Coordinates of all heavy atoms in Angstrom, one line a residue:
D1 N 0.9 -1.2 -0.1 CA 0.0 0.0 0.0 C 0.8 1.3 0.1 O 0.5 2.2 -0.8 CB -1.0 0.1 1.2 CG -2.3 -0.7 0.9 OD1 -2.6 -0.9 -0.3 OD2 -3.0 -1.2 1.8
P2 N 1.9 1.4 0.9 CA 2.8 2.6 0.8 C 3.4 2.7 -0.6 O 3.4 3.9 -1.1 CB 3.8 2.3 1.7 CG 3.1 1.4 2.9 CD 2.3 0.5 2.1
I3 N 3.8 1.7 -1.2 CA 4.4 1.8 -2.5 C 3.5 2.2 -3.6 O 3.7 3.0 -4.5 CB 5.2 0.5 -2.9 CG1 6.4 0.3 -2.1 CG2 5.4 0.4 -4.4 CD1 7.3 -1.0 -2.4
D4 N 2.2 1.7 -3.4 CA 1.2 2.0 -4.4 C 0.8 3.6 -4.4 O 0.7 4.2 -5.4 CB -0.1 1.3 -4.1 CG -1.1 1.4 -5.1 OD1 -0.9 1.4 -6.3 OD2 -2.3 1.8 -4.7
M5 N 0.8 4.0 -3.2 CA 0.7 5.5 -2.9 C 1.8 6.3 -3.5 O 1.7 7.3 -4.0 CB 0.4 5.8 -1.4 CG -0.9 5.2 -0.9 SD -2.3 5.4 -1.8 CE -2.5 7.2 -1.7
I6 N 3.1 5.8 -3.2 CA 4.3 6.4 -3.7 C 4.3 6.5 -5.3 O 4.7 7.5 -5.8 CB 5.5 5.7 -3.1 CG1 5.7 6.0 -1.6 CG2 6.8 6.1 -3.9 CD1 6.7 5.1 -1.0
R7 N 3.8 5.4 -5.8 CA 3.8 5.2 -7.3 C 2.8 6.2 -7.9 O 3.2 7.0 -8.8 CB 3.4 3.9 -7.7 CG 3.4 3.6 -9.2 CD 3.0 2.2 -9.6 NE 1.6 1.9 -9.0 CZ 0.5 2.4 -9.6 NH1 0.6 3.0 -10.8 NH2 -0.6 2.0 -9.2
K8 N 1.7 6.2 -7.4 CA 0.7 7.1 -7.8 C 1.0 8.7 -7.7 O 0.7 9.5 -8.6 CB -0.7 6.9 -7.1 CG -1.3 5.5 -7.5 CD -2.6 5.3 -6.7 CE -3.2 4.0 -7.1 NZ -4.5 3.7 -6.3
A9 N 1.7 9.0 -6.5 CA 2.1 10.3 -6.3 C 3.4 10.7 -7.0 O 3.8 11.8 -6.9 CB 2.3 10.5 -4.7
R10 N 4.0 9.7 -7.7 CA 5.3 10.0 -8.4 C 6.3 10.5 -7.4 O 7.1 11.4 -7.8 CB 5.1 10.9 -9.5 CG 4.0 10.4 -10.6 CD 3.8 11.4 -11.7 NE 3.0 10.8 -12.8 CZ 1.7 10.7 -12.9 NH1 1.0 11.1 -11.7 NH2 1.1 10.1 -13.9
L11 N 6.4 10.0 -6.3 CA 7.5 10.4 -5.4 C 8.8 9.8 -5.6 O 9.9 10.4 -5.4 CB 7.1 10.0 -3.9 CG 6.3 11.0 -3.0 CD1 5.0 11.4 -3.7 CD2 6.2 10.5 -1.6
A12 N 8.9 8.5 -6.2 CA 10.1 7.9 -6.5 C 10.1 7.7 -8.1 O 9.0 7.7 -8.7 CB 10.2 6.6 -5.7
D13 N 11.3 7.4 -8.6 CA 11.5 7.3 -10.0 C 10.8 5.9 -10.4 O 11.3 4.8 -9.9 CB 13.0 7.2 -10.2 CG 13.2 7.2 -11.7 OD1 12.6 6.4 -12.5 OD2 14.2 7.9 -12.2
R14 N 9.8 6.0 -11.0 CA 9.0 4.8 -11.4 C 9.6 3.8 -12.3 O 9.3 2.6 -12.4 CB 7.6 5.2 -11.9 CG 6.8 6.0 -10.9 CD 5.3 6.0 -11.2 NE 5.0 6.7 -12.4 CZ 3.8 6.8 -12.9 NH1 2.7 6.3 -12.2 NH2 3.4 7.4 -14.0
K15 N 10.6 4.2 -13.1 CA 11.3 3.4 -14.1 C 12.5 2.7 -13.4 O 12.8 1.5 -13.8 CB 11.7 4.2 -15.3 CG 10.6 4.7 -16.1 CD 11.1 5.4 -17.4 CE 10.0 5.9 -18.3 NZ 10.5 6.5 -19.5
R16 N 13.1 3.3 -12.4 CA 14.4 2.7 -11.9 C 14.3 2.1 -10.5 O 15.0 1.3 -10.0 CB 15.5 3.8 -11.9 CG 15.8 4.3 -13.3 CD 17.0 5.2 -13.2 NE 16.8 6.4 -12.3 CZ 17.7 6.9 -11.4 NH1 18.8 6.2 -11.3 NH2 17.3 7.9 -10.6
S17 N 13.1 2.6 -9.8 CA 13.0 2.1 -8.4 C 12.4 0.6 -8.5 O 11.8 0.2 -9.4 CB 11.9 2.9 -7.7 OG 12.4 4.2 -7.5
R18 N 12.8 -0.2 -7.5 CA 12.5 -1.6 -7.4 C 12.0 -2.0 -6.0 O 12.3 -1.5 -5.0 CB 13.7 -2.4 -7.8 CG 14.2 -2.2 -9.2 CD 13.3 -2.9 -10.2 NE 13.9 -2.8 -11.6 CZ 13.7 -1.7 -12.3 NH1 13.0 -0.7 -11.9 NH2 14.2 -1.7 -13.6
L19 N 11.2 -3.0 -6.0 CA 10.8 -3.7 -4.8 C 11.3 -5.2 -4.7 O 11.1 -5.8 -5.7 CB 9.3 -3.8 -4.7 CG 8.6 -4.7 -3.6 CD1 9.1 -4.2 -2.2 CD2 7.2 -4.9 -3.8
Y20 N 12.1 -5.4 -3.8 CA 12.6 -6.8 -3.5 C 11.6 -7.4 -2.5 O 11.7 -6.9 -1.3 CB 14.0 -6.7 -3.1 CG 15.0 -6.5 -4.3 CD1 15.3 -5.2 -4.6 CD2 15.5 -7.7 -5.0 CE1 16.1 -5.0 -5.7 CE2 16.3 -7.4 -6.1 CZ 16.6 -6.1 -6.3 OH 17.5 -5.8 -7.4
Y21 N 11.0 -8.3 -2.9 CA 9.8 -9.0 -2.1 C 10.1 -10.5 -1.9 O 9.9 -11.2 -2.9 CB 8.5 -8.7 -2.7 CG 7.3 -9.4 -2.0 CD1 6.9 -9.1 -0.7 CD2 6.7 -10.4 -2.8 CE1 5.8 -9.7 -0.2 CE2 5.6 -11.1 -2.2 CZ 5.1 -10.7 -0.9 OH 4.1 -11.3 -0.4
Y22 N 10.6 -10.9 -0.8 CA 10.8 -12.3 -0.6 C 11.7 -12.9 -1.7 O 12.8 -12.4 -1.9 CB 9.6 -13.1 -0.4 CG 8.8 -12.8 0.9 CD1 7.6 -12.0 0.9 CD2 9.3 -13.2 2.0 CE1 7.0 -11.7 2.1 CE2 8.7 -12.9 3.3 CZ 7.5 -12.1 3.2 OH 6.9 -11.8 4.4
F23 N 11.2 -13.9 -2.4 CA 12.1 -14.4 -3.5 C 11.7 -13.9 -4.9 O 12.1 -14.5 -5.9 CB 11.9 -16.0 -3.4 CG 12.3 -16.6 -2.1 CD1 11.4 -17.0 -1.3 CD2 13.7 -16.6 -1.8 CE1 11.8 -17.5 0.0 CE2 14.1 -17.2 -0.7 CZ 13.1 -17.7 0.3
K24 N 11.0 -12.7 -4.9 CA 10.7 -12.1 -6.2 C 11.0 -10.7 -6.1 O 11.2 -10.1 -5.2 CB 9.1 -12.3 -6.4 CG 8.7 -13.8 -6.5 CD 7.3 -13.9 -6.8 CE 6.8 -15.3 -7.0 NZ 5.4 -15.5 -7.3
T25 N 11.0 -10.0 -7.2 CA 11.2 -8.6 -7.4 C 10.1 -8.0 -8.2 O 9.6 -8.6 -9.1 CB 12.6 -8.3 -8.0 OG1 12.8 -6.9 -8.0 CG2 12.7 -8.8 -9.4
R26 N 9.8 -6.8 -7.9 CA 8.7 -6.1 -8.7 C 9.1 -4.7 -9.0 O 9.5 -4.0 -8.1 CB 7.4 -6.1 -7.9 CG 6.3 -5.4 -8.7 CD 4.9 -5.7 -8.1 NE 4.8 -5.1 -6.8 CZ 3.7 -4.9 -6.0 NH1 2.5 -5.5 -6.6 NH2 3.6 -4.4 -5.0
A27 N 9.0 -4.2 -10.3 CA 9.2 -2.9 -10.6 C 8.1 -2.1 -10.1 O 7.0 -2.5 -10.0 CB 9.4 -2.8 -12.1
I28 N 8.3 -0.8 -9.7 CA 7.3 0.2 -9.4 C 6.4 0.5 -10.5 O 5.1 0.6 -10.3 CB 7.9 1.4 -8.8 CG1 8.8 1.2 -7.6 CG2 6.9 2.5 -8.4 CD1 8.2 0.5 -6.5
S29 N 6.9 0.5 -11.7 CA 6.1 0.9 -12.9 C 6.8 0.2 -14.1 O 8.0 -0.1 -14.1 CB 6.1 2.3 -13.1 OG 5.2 2.8 -14.1
P30 N 6.1 -0.1 -15.3 CA 4.7 0.4 -15.5 C 3.7 -0.7 -15.1 O 2.5 -0.3 -15.0 CB 4.8 0.7 -17.0 CG 5.8 -0.4 -17.5 CD 6.9 -0.5 -16.4
N31 N 4.0 -1.9 -15.0 CA 3.0 -3.0 -14.8 C 3.1 -3.6 -13.5 O 2.2 -4.4 -13.2 CB 3.1 -4.0 -16.0 CG 4.5 -4.6 -16.1 OD1 5.3 -4.6 -15.1 ND2 4.9 -5.1 -17.3
N32 N 4.1 -3.3 -12.7 CA 4.1 -3.9 -11.3 C 4.2 -5.4 -11.4 O 3.8 -6.1 -10.3 CB 3.0 -3.5 -10.4 CG 3.2 -2.0 -10.0 OD1 4.3 -1.4 -10.0 ND2 2.0 -1.4 -9.7
K33 N 4.7 -6.1 -12.4 CA 4.7 -7.5 -12.4 C 5.8 -8.2 -11.5 O 6.9 -7.6 -11.4 CB 4.8 -8.0 -13.8 CG 3.6 -7.9 -14.7 CD 3.9 -8.5 -16.1 CE 2.6 -8.4 -16.9 NZ 2.8 -9.1 -18.3
L34 N 5.5 -9.1 -10.8 CA 6.5 -9.9 -10.0 C 7.3 -10.8 -10.9 O 6.8 -11.4 -11.8 CB 5.7 -10.7 -8.9 CG 5.1 -9.9 -7.8 CD1 4.2 -10.8 -6.9 CD2 6.2 -9.4 -6.9
G35 N 8.5 -10.8 -10.6 CA 9.4 -11.7 -11.4 C 10.4 -12.3 -10.5 O 10.8 -11.8 -9.4
P36 N 10.9 -13.6 -10.8 CA 11.8 -14.2 -9.9 C 13.2 -13.5 -9.8 O 13.6 -12.8 -10.8 CB 12.0 -15.6 -10.6 CG 11.8 -15.3 -12.0 CD 10.7 -14.2 -12.0
I37 N 13.8 -13.6 -8.7 CA 15.2 -13.2 -8.5 C 16.2 -14.3 -8.7 O 16.1 -15.4 -8.0 CB 15.4 -12.6 -7.1 CG1 14.4 -11.3 -7.0 CG2 16.8 -12.1 -6.9 CD1 14.5 -10.7 -5.5
D38 N 17.3 -14.1 -9.5 CA 18.3 -15.0 -9.6 C 19.5 -14.5 -8.8 O 20.1 -13.5 -9.3 CB 18.7 -15.2 -11.1 CG 19.9 -16.1 -11.3 OD1 20.3 -16.7 -10.4 OD2 20.5 -16.1 -12.4
P39 N 19.8 -15.1 -7.6 CA 20.9 -14.6 -6.8 C 22.2 -14.5 -7.5 O 23.1 -13.7 -7.2 CB 21.0 -15.6 -5.6 CG 19.5 -16.2 -5.7 CD 19.2 -16.2 -7.0
A40 N 22.5 -15.4 -8.5 CA 23.7 -15.5 -9.1 C 23.9 -14.3 -10.1 O 25.0 -13.8 -10.3 CB 23.8 -16.7 -9.9
S41 N 22.8 -13.9 -10.7 CA 22.9 -12.7 -11.6 C 22.5 -11.4 -11.2 O 22.7 -10.4 -11.8 CB 22.1 -13.1 -12.9 OG 20.7 -13.2 -12.7
T42 N 21.8 -11.3 -10.0 CA 21.4 -10.0 -9.5 C 22.6 -9.2 -8.9 O 23.3 -9.7 -8.1 CB 20.5 -10.3 -8.3 OG1 19.3 -11.0 -8.8 CG2 19.9 -8.9 -7.8
K43 N 22.7 -8.1 -9.5 CA 23.8 -7.2 -9.1 C 23.4 -6.4 -7.9 O 23.2 -5.1 -8.1 CB 24.3 -6.3 -10.2 CG 24.8 -7.2 -11.4 CD 25.2 -6.3 -12.6 CE 25.8 -7.1 -13.8 NZ 26.3 -6.3 -14.9
W44 N 23.3 -7.0 -6.8 CA 22.8 -6.3 -5.6 C 23.5 -5.1 -5.2 O 23.1 -4.0 -4.8 CB 22.6 -7.4 -4.5 CG 22.2 -6.7 -3.1 CD1 22.9 -6.7 -2.0 CD2 20.9 -6.2 -2.9 NE1 22.3 -6.1 -1.0 CE2 21.0 -5.8 -1.5 CE3 19.8 -6.1 -3.5 CZ2 19.8 -5.2 -0.9 CZ3 18.6 -5.4 -3.0 CH2 18.7 -5.0 -1.6
R45 N 24.9 -5.2 -5.1 CA 25.7 -4.2 -4.7 C 25.6 -3.0 -5.6 O 25.4 -1.9 -5.2 CB 27.2 -4.7 -4.7 CG 28.1 -3.6 -4.2 CD 29.6 -4.1 -4.2 NE 30.5 -3.1 -3.9 CZ 30.9 -2.8 -2.6 NH1 30.4 -3.4 -1.7 NH2 31.8 -1.8 -2.5
E46 N 25.6 -3.2 -6.9 CA 25.5 -2.1 -7.9 C 24.1 -1.4 -7.7 O 23.9 -0.3 -7.8 CB 25.7 -2.6 -9.3 CG 27.1 -2.9 -9.5 CD 27.5 -4.4 -9.2 OE1 26.7 -5.0 -8.5 OE2 28.6 -4.9 -9.6
E47 N 23.1 -2.4 -7.5 CA 21.6 -1.9 -7.3 C 21.6 -0.9 -6.2 O 21.0 0.2 -6.3 CB 20.7 -3.1 -7.2 CG 19.2 -2.6 -7.2 CD 18.6 -2.5 -8.5 OE1 18.8 -1.5 -9.2 OE2 17.8 -3.4 -8.9
V48 N 22.1 -1.4 -5.0 CA 22.0 -0.6 -3.8 C 22.8 0.7 -3.9 O 22.4 1.8 -3.6 CB 22.4 -1.3 -2.6 CG1 22.6 -0.5 -1.3 CG2 21.4 -2.5 -2.4

């Protein structure tokens, strides 16, 4: 819910911001689709 409000209010960059949710990741925009995270290929350090 907070992210939904943040997305609608355009508080965060909707193209580059990300949600890491358990074993999946979801972009803030445009479609908010959940996708699997591959620990081996996820560039976590660079992302953060």
Side-chain angles (χ1 to χ4, degrees):
D1 274 338
I3 286 179
D4 186 50
M5 301 306 299
I6 290 168
R7 180 184 62 81
K8 290 177 180 176
R10 298 177 172 84
L11 266 64
D13 189 318
R14 299 199 294 177
K15 292 184 178 180
R16 299 187 301 139
S17 296
R18 296 286 184 272
L19 164 65
Y20 282 87
Y21 170 72
Y22 292 105
F23 301 104
K24 298 183 179 181
T25 183
R26 181 170 68 173
I28 301 300
S29 187
N31 51 25
N32 287 335
K33 285 187 176 180
L34 286 167
I37 295 176
D38 178 10
S41 63
T42 299
K43 297 181 179 180
W44 174 247
R45 180 181 177 84
E46 290 85 348
E47 184 86 287
V48 171

